[in-house]
Amino acid sequence: MSEPRLTHLDEAGHARMVDVGDKDTTRRVAVASAALVLRPDTARMLVEGRLPKGDAIATARIAGIMAAKRTPDLIPLCHVVSLSGVEVEVEVDVDAGRCRITATATAADRTGVEMEALVAASTTALTLYDMTKAVERGAVVEHVRLESKTGGVRGDWHRDGAA
Amino acid sequence: MSEPRLTHLDEAGHARMVDVGDKDTTRRVAVASAALVLRPDTARMLVEGRLPKGDAIATARIAGIMAAKRTPDLIPLCHVVSLSGVEVEVEVDVDAGRCRITATATAADRTGVEMEALVAASTTALTLYDMTKAVERGAVVEHVRLESKTGGVRGDWHRDGAA
Amino acid sequence: MSEPRLTHLDEAGHARMVDVGDKDTTRRVAVASAALVLRPDTARMLVEGRLPKGDAIATARIAGIMAAKRTPDLIPLCHVVSLSGVEVEVEVDVDAGRCRITATATAADRTGVEMEALVAASTTALTLYDMTKAVERGAVVEHVRLESKTGGVRGDWHRDGAA
Amino acid sequence: MSEPRLTHLDEAGHARMVDVGDKDTTRRVAVASAALVLRPDTARMLVEGRLPKGDAIATARIAGIMAAKRTPDLIPLCHVVSLSGVEVEVEVDVDAGRCRITATATAADRTGVEMEALVAASTTALTLYDMTKAVERGAVVEHVRLESKTGGVRGDWHRDGAA
Amino acid sequence: MSEPRLTHLDEAGHARMVDVGDKDTTRRVAVASAALVLRPDTARMLVEGRLPKGDAIATARIAGIMAAKRTPDLIPLCHVVSLSGVEVEVEVDVDAGRCRITATATAADRTGVEMEALVAASTTALTLYDMTKAVERGAVVEHVRLESKTGGVRGDWHRDGAA
Amino acid sequence: MSEPRLTHLDEAGHARMVDVGDKDTTRRVAVASAALVLRPDTARMLVEGRLPKGDAIATARIAGIMAAKRTPDLIPLCHVVSLSGVEVEVEVDVDAGRCRITATATAADRTGVEMEALVAASTTALTLYDMTKAVERGAVVEHVRLESKTGGVRGDWHRDGAA
């Protein structure tokens, strides 16, 4: 591999999928959350199943679970992990005009599952938006964030004062 | 997570991908079968390689193998499993007008591979239909079913009197 | 391209994705159906939402709709079509132990959408199996078949005496 | 289809991919935005290319563009649209600790491309999080929202006072 | 969008999926080729169907056709095109130790289908390698290249003296 | 399974995904390379970031990494492996008109990762072609080949005199 006139372009700074082969396989759990902020009347239609596209919450939860499994297809440098479980909860506060999504991903693997939980929460929120956008185009996804992670060499992590 | 006015929508009954992290990793084998019932003259064209779209059986077997690997993309609550092998056999009984498909999936994992075998058998049958539908639109896929499974905590299972 | 000693392996008979560029773009509708045959007590658990994996029917319908969109990834020689709509209905006859699935695919395209409807019906049935298999491993998918197609140069087609 | 004892489960309220075959094909443009809120020192590492996983912004922009193309795989009831263009911009305000993402999707199709723009913005933000999470696990994705849409029968829409 | 302290990172030079909405929809054809160079005895096993993994040529051709449909998933800035046809030919010159692959992609679209033809040819060649690598690990894919393209505003293009 | 009049079509010779369940899980590393041969002036535009589609090298490297993860979707008989790392390097020799790509895939698994490394190298090269084809349609991908593999029962392998 001795090509003398090369212009090397792969010095530090370029993206790579870091080798995690030396890390231990441990049980990993990550919890992420997101919120969809919408009008109370839209939230009411959602809860009462009166949206034109149909059952928003069941659709959104399944979308979130399926998206978690596709995380390595979406996030370029994510490893393929063997998810052992995914759960997505949706709570709707009609008066406040707010759907709160909590996604939990678990795996026994060499890397964490934070991105899987975040992708699940985010996709659930976006699917809720898709189901409601015919009646309210301006709803906003807020606070897509990690709540906690456990397992792995760097130890556990919990967001302070997570709501 | 104490939001007082919430309407909880995730009580028991909503879909989730169950955590299998506590299950043992064991060798799993599942066999599934399916049949495509078609006219004897269509079956003859298929066996003799005279279909307009080309070699139906090679195409269908490969489709079945590839679909098995994509099972978690198709079946929402299926776990991603590390398939160690997939085989698909197609037998054609020309006089009876019947293609019989047998798919075997194997893995060393925490969950069974029944769905992988069923998806392989079903996709093989549908691909055979796709290859023959220009000459016979009314062919029917029948008897997509599990024949046996071995491995896993709940023990082995074999269909009684499987044909 | 004059290589004299070639062994030609691509004579008639080998698979190809036929060029449909000369066909007209017309409105296409295809209806397919399938059935999952299971025990009445399993059917009752399914209808009453008492299955361990959760809400089977909502999950299965969404799986069928999503699978329809992925038909060209599954069926090797299927064209990518612009589906304009997909609907999946699930009817459960508890006493007869039977879930009947009807999938309708529509598109304005150069090729028909029979495979999209069949993939939707088949995937819905397999997902129902996945949701129920913890309580009944022996359920069988039957009668995956085209019910009708309209649009396209070859004219409409309807199954005689469809049940 | 006269099965007398059926329990009909597909009454209004269940999800379906609405048929848009009667809508006109018009030029559609949607703009969505999102923000990743992080610490100024993390933002500085990002801008200066000193993150352990490499070049975050190039990676995130490409992730956003690729995700836009996969929107119908992620959002269950989204139609497959022929995107004619996708652009993703990332602006980093180091002092404020904020990456602002703007995604523009365009198509000539029967349905809008709001979801494509939102998926692009959201995936770009999540990829930036993935690239920075080794140095700051608590960064948050905020304000994933539609900024404007043009084209389609329902007319144009612009967020009031969009920041 | 007037944020004064921004560090703009999206000046010219960053990747984008160029908007082709103003281009005309015309019939596009692209032909690409590739070669797998291997030992004559391996080529003989391939032609005679004696490879351990099975029928290499049928498998490789189907892989090439399916990969063409997935081009926008693989090549980041490729548009999703409506392929109207894909054909893959494989010719084996046993004495010369050479498999020559020719892939033809056709579409009526706003962008060309060069990448689809190249992805088909390349994936066919890599699949042939996968099928033969148990007997010869050192085979090499050579000359993956466009042979011709027709249609589109920039006119037709043909490789001079294509072999 | 005793159907007397069957025409057996699955004798030796048909494709199957071989069961690797009995192989040991060992650390596997594979290195593959490829080259894109283009005109020096095109190579110069690429290095200087003056291509119409934007930053070619960052885009191509990410495309290669993402494609490696999708290898089992592309190569029909490849197993799904748990890649622990993927790196792609691109070196451009402007005067020689040559981009040299080196891809390294690592995993702890029962099968090798040669195909993952080859798919990464090949997709990187094709993406570079896609980014440059507006200025030079005739560039050619050459020498897509395995350079070395380590791990696995059959021992290590290194190409002699690899350039």
Side-chain angles (χ1 to χ4, degrees):
Chain A
M1 275 190 253
S2 57
E3 292 173 304
R5 295 163 301 170
L6 291 178
T7 303
H8 279 265
L9 289 161
D10 288 296
E11 64 278 23
H14 282 221
R16 65 192 172 289
M17 194 170 118
V18 182
D19 189 0
V20 295
D22 292 333
K23 292 192 180 180
D24 285 333
T25 296
T26 63
R27 179 170 173 83
R28 317 269 186 160
V29 181
V31 179
S33 66
L36 181 69
V37 177
L38 69 182
R39 293 195 308 256
D41 59 307
T42 310
R44 181 157 289 113
M45 291 179 74
L46 189 152
V47 167
E48 295 176 355
R50 291 186 288 116
L51 292 167
K53 278 192 166 182
D55 182 355
I57 294 186
T59 305
R61 294 171 85 250
I62 295 164
I65 293 169
M66 294 183 85
K69 293 191 274 184
R70 311 198 65 181
T71 300
D73 282 350
L74 293 171
I75 308 298
L77 304 184
C78 261
H79 293 83
V80 178
V81 296
S82 296
L83 285 172
S84 62
V86 182
E87 286 193 50
V88 176
E89 287 180 51
V90 179
E91 296 169 314
V92 183
D93 181 335
V94 168
D95 294 340
R98 183 184 159 101
C99 302
R100 182 185 161 84
I101 298 120
T102 309
T104 305
T106 54
D109 216 304
R110 289 184 174 81
T111 48
V113 288
E114 297 98 307
M115 295 314 300
E116 282 72 12
L118 284 162
V119 165
S122 171
T123 305
T124 303
L126 290 173
T127 301
L128 288 173
Y129 177 87
D130 181 52
M131 303 297 285
T132 56
K133 75 177 195 288
V135 296
E136 179 185 0
R137 212 164 290 276
V140 179
V141 178
E142 298 287 3
H143 318 318
V144 184
R145 65 191 188 191
L146 188 66
E147 296 294 346
S148 67
K149 71 176 284 282
T150 58
V153 287
R154 285 199 249 167
D156 298 350
W157 182 90
H158 294 271
R159 180 175 293 278
D160 292 334
Chain B
M1 272 191 256
S2 57
E3 292 173 304
R5 295 164 302 170
L6 292 177
T7 303
H8 279 263
L9 288 161
D10 288 295
E11 64 279 22
H14 282 221
R16 66 191 170 287
M17 195 169 116
V18 182
D19 189 359
V20 297
D22 293 333
K23 292 192 180 182
D24 285 334
T25 296
T26 63
R27 180 171 172 82
R28 316 270 185 159
V29 181
V31 180
S33 66
L36 180 70
V37 177
L38 69 182
R39 293 194 311 256
D41 58 307
T42 309
R44 181 157 288 114
M45 290 178 76
L46 188 153
V47 167
E48 295 175 356
R50 291 186 287 115
L51 292 168
K53 276 193 167 181
D55 183 354
I57 295 186
T59 305
R61 294 171 84 250
I62 294 164
I65 292 168
M66 293 183 85
K69 291 190 274 185
R70 311 199 65 182
T71 299
D73 281 350
L74 293 172
I75 308 296
L77 305 184
C78 261
H79 292 82
V80 178
V81 296
S82 296
L83 284 172
S84 62
V86 182
E87 286 194 51
V88 176
E89 289 180 49
V90 179
E91 297 169 315
V92 183
D93 182 335
V94 169
D95 294 341
R98 184 184 158 101
C99 302
R100 182 184 162 85
I101 297 118
T102 309
T104 305
T106 54
D109 216 304
R110 288 184 173 83
T111 48
V113 288
E114 296 97 308
M115 293 315 299
E116 282 72 12
L118 284 162
V119 165
S122 171
T123 304
T124 303
L126 289 173
T127 302
L128 288 173
Y129 177 86
D130 180 52
M131 303 298 284
T132 56
K133 75 177 193 291
V135 296
E136 179 184 359
R137 211 163 291 274
V140 179
V141 177
E142 298 286 4
H143 316 319
V144 185
R145 66 191 188 191
L146 188 66
E147 296 293 345
S148 66
K149 72 175 284 281
T150 58
V153 287
R154 285 200 249 167
D156 297 351
W157 182 90
H158 293 270
R159 182 174 292 278
D160 292 333
Chain C
M1 275 190 253
S2 57
E3 292 173 303
R5 295 164 301 171
L6 291 178
T7 303
H8 279 264
L9 288 162
D10 287 295
E11 64 278 22
H14 282 221
R16 68 192 170 288
M17 196 171 115
V18 182
D19 189 0
V20 296
D22 293 333
K23 293 192 182 182
D24 286 334
T25 295
T26 63
R27 180 170 170 82
R28 317 269 186 159
V29 181
V31 179
S33 67
L36 180 69
V37 178
L38 69 181
R39 293 194 311 256
D41 59 308
T42 310
R44 181 156 289 115
M45 291 178 75
L46 189 153
V47 167
E48 295 175 356
R50 292 187 288 116
L51 292 168
K53 278 193 167 182
D55 183 354
I57 294 186
T59 305
R61 294 171 83 251
I62 295 164
I65 291 169
M66 293 183 84
K69 293 191 273 185
R70 312 200 65 182
T71 300
D73 280 351
L74 293 172
I75 309 296
L77 305 184
C78 262
H79 293 82
V80 178
V81 297
S82 295
L83 285 172
S84 61
V86 182
E87 286 193 50
V88 176
E89 288 179 49
V90 178
E91 298 169 313
V92 182
D93 182 337
V94 168
D95 294 341
R98 184 184 157 101
C99 302
R100 183 184 161 86
I101 298 120
T102 309
T104 305
T106 54
D109 216 304
R110 289 185 173 84
T111 48
V113 287
E114 298 98 305
M115 295 314 299
E116 281 73 12
L118 284 162
V119 165
S122 170
T123 305
T124 303
L126 289 173
T127 301
L128 288 174
Y129 177 86
D130 181 52
M131 303 297 284
T132 55
K133 75 178 194 290
V135 296
E136 179 184 1
R137 210 163 291 276
V140 178
V141 178
E142 298 287 5
H143 317 318
V144 185
R145 65 191 187 189
L146 189 67
E147 295 295 343
S148 66
K149 71 178 282 281
T150 58
V153 288
R154 285 198 249 169
D156 297 351
W157 182 90
H158 292 271
R159 180 174 293 277
D160 292 335
Chain D
M1 276 191 252
S2 57
E3 293 174 303
R5 294 164 302 170
L6 291 178
T7 303
H8 279 264
L9 288 161
D10 287 295
E11 65 278 24
H14 282 220
R16 65 192 172 288
M17 194 170 117
V18 182
D19 189 0
V20 296
D22 293 331
K23 292 192 181 181
D24 285 334
T25 296
T26 63
R27 179 169 172 82
R28 317 268 185 160
V29 181
V31 179
S33 66
L36 180 70
V37 177
L38 68 182
R39 293 195 308 257
D41 59 307
T42 310
R44 181 155 290 113
M45 291 178 75
L46 188 152
V47 166
E48 296 176 355
R50 292 187 288 115
L51 292 167
K53 277 192 166 182
D55 182 355
I57 294 187
T59 305
R61 294 170 85 250
I62 294 165
I65 293 169
M66 294 183 85
K69 294 191 273 185
R70 311 198 65 180
T71 300
D73 282 350
L74 293 172
I75 308 297
L77 305 184
C78 262
H79 293 83
V80 178
V81 297
S82 295
L83 284 172
S84 61
V86 181
E87 286 194 51
V88 176
E89 288 179 49
V90 178
E91 297 170 314
V92 183
D93 181 336
V94 169
D95 294 341
R98 184 184 158 102
C99 302
R100 182 183 161 86
I101 297 120
T102 309
T104 305
T106 54
D109 215 305
R110 289 185 174 82
T111 48
V113 288
E114 296 98 307
M115 294 314 300
E116 281 73 12
L118 284 162
V119 165
S122 171
T123 304
T124 303
L126 290 173
T127 302
L128 288 174
Y129 176 86
D130 181 52
M131 303 297 284
T132 56
K133 75 177 194 289
V135 295
E136 178 184 359
R137 211 163 290 276
V140 179
V141 178
E142 296 289 4
H143 316 318
V144 184
R145 65 190 187 190
L146 189 66
E147 295 294 345
S148 67
K149 71 177 283 283
T150 58
V153 287
R154 285 198 250 168
D156 297 351
W157 182 91
H158 293 271
R159 182 175 292 277
D160 291 334
Chain E
M1 274 190 253
S2 57
E3 291 173 305
R5 297 164 300 169
L6 291 177
T7 303
H8 279 263
L9 288 161
D10 289 294
E11 64 277 25
H14 282 220
R16 66 192 170 287
M17 195 170 116
V18 183
D19 189 359
V20 296
D22 293 332
K23 292 193 181 182
D24 286 333
T25 296
T26 63
R27 179 170 172 83
R28 317 268 186 160
V29 181
V31 179
S33 67
L36 180 69
V37 177
L38 69 181
R39 292 195 310 255
D41 59 307
T42 309
R44 181 157 289 113
M45 290 178 75
L46 188 154
V47 167
E48 295 175 356
R50 291 187 288 114
L51 292 167
K53 276 193 168 181
D55 183 354
I57 294 186
T59 305
R61 293 171 83 249
I62 294 164
I65 292 169
M66 294 183 84
K69 293 190 273 186
R70 311 200 64 181
T71 300
D73 281 350
L74 293 171
I75 308 296
L77 304 184
C78 261
H79 293 82
V80 178
V81 296
S82 296
L83 284 171
S84 62
V86 181
E87 286 193 51
V88 176
E89 288 180 49
V90 178
E91 296 169 315
V92 183
D93 182 335
V94 169
D95 293 342
R98 184 183 157 102
C99 302
R100 184 184 161 85
I101 297 119
T102 310
T104 306
T106 55
D109 216 304
R110 289 184 172 83
T111 48
V113 287
E114 296 98 307
M115 294 315 299
E116 282 72 12
L118 283 162
V119 165
S122 171
T123 305
T124 303
L126 289 174
T127 302
L128 288 174
Y129 177 86
D130 181 52
M131 303 297 284
T132 55
K133 75 177 194 291
V135 296
E136 180 184 0
R137 211 162 291 273
V140 179
V141 178
E142 298 287 4
H143 317 319
V144 185
R145 65 191 189 191
L146 188 66
E147 296 294 345
S148 67
K149 70 175 284 280
T150 59
V153 288
R154 286 199 248 166
D156 298 350
W157 181 90
H158 292 270
R159 182 175 292 278
D160 293 332
Chain F
M1 275 190 254
S2 57
E3 293 174 304
R5 295 164 302 170
L6 292 178
T7 304
H8 279 264
L9 288 162
D10 287 295
E11 65 277 22
H14 282 222
R16 66 191 170 288
M17 194 170 117
V18 182
D19 189 0
V20 296
D22 293 332
K23 292 192 181 183
D24 285 334
T25 296
T26 63
R27 180 171 170 82
R28 317 269 185 159
V29 181
V31 179
S33 66
L36 180 69
V37 177
L38 68 181
R39 293 195 310 256
D41 59 308
T42 310
R44 181 156 289 113
M45 291 178 74
L46 188 153
V47 167
E48 295 175 355
R50 291 187 287 115
L51 292 168
K53 277 192 168 182
D55 182 355
I57 295 186
T59 305
R61 293 170 85 251
I62 294 164
I65 291 169
M66 293 183 84
K69 292 191 273 185
R70 311 198 65 181
T71 300
D73 281 350
L74 293 171
I75 308 296
L77 305 184
C78 262
H79 293 82
V80 179
V81 296
S82 296
L83 285 171
S84 61
V86 182
E87 286 192 51
V88 176
E89 288 180 49
V90 178
E91 297 169 315
V92 183
D93 182 337
V94 168
D95 294 340
R98 183 183 160 103
C99 301
R100 182 184 162 86
I101 298 119
T102 309
T104 305
T106 55
D109 216 303
R110 289 184 172 84
T111 48
V113 287
E114 297 98 307
M115 294 315 299
E116 282 73 12
L118 284 161
V119 165
S122 171
T123 304
T124 304
L126 290 173
T127 301
L128 289 174
Y129 177 86
D130 181 53
M131 303 297 285
T132 56
K133 74 178 196 290
V135 295
E136 179 184 1
R137 210 163 291 276
V140 179
V141 178
E142 298 286 4
H143 318 318
V144 185
R145 66 192 187 189
L146 189 66
E147 296 294 344
S148 67
K149 71 177 284 281
T150 58
V153 288
R154 285 198 248 168
D156 298 351
W157 182 90
H158 293 270
R159 181 175 292 277
D160 292 334

